[in-house]
Amino acid sequence: IQKQFLPETPNSHPLIDEIKNQHLLLALVTSSEREVTQLLLKKTNLKDKFNLVITLQDVSLTKPHPYPYIKAM
């Protein structure tokens, strides 16, 4: 994956680490395919940061429908 398709979000890792340090659960909801999502999470060293990842394959109704978010809760 090229950097142009994966811009770095400043302070994302410290923010996620702080959320985890507060013992909060963290979920990712995306309309991307599972394979792409897992690859991106691995490339950005975020694979083990989320307690739950909901992808296109996990839901019958996708964003912007609220179902994926409800499932994550």
Side-chain angles (χ1 to χ4, degrees):
I1 298 174
Q2 298 177 1
K3 290 263 187 201
Q4 66 196 30
F5 298 114
L6 188 61
E8 176 131 0
T9 303
N11 302 317
S12 60
H13 286 267
L15 175 62
I16 290 171
D17 289 340
E18 181 59 29
I19 290 169
K20 298 304 281 184
N21 288 339
Q22 296 292 322
H23 305 288
L24 298 171
L25 299 176
L26 190 61
L28 171 67
V29 176
T30 178
S31 56
S32 296
E33 294 183 4
R34 183 180 300 117
E35 185 177 339
V36 172
T37 301
Q38 291 300 324
L39 178 62
L40 289 172
L41 289 173
K42 183 177 179 183
K43 292 274 188 188
T44 56
N45 296 316
L46 293 171
K47 187 176 181 190
D48 298 324
K49 301 288 185 176
F50 294 93
N51 300 88
L52 177 67
V53 176
I54 305 267
T55 65
L56 178 66
Q57 284 80 15
D58 298 313
V59 292
S60 56
L61 300 168
T62 60
K63 297 190 313 184
H65 194 280
Y67 178 67
Y69 302 104
I70 292 168
K71 184 173 181 172
M73 295 162 83

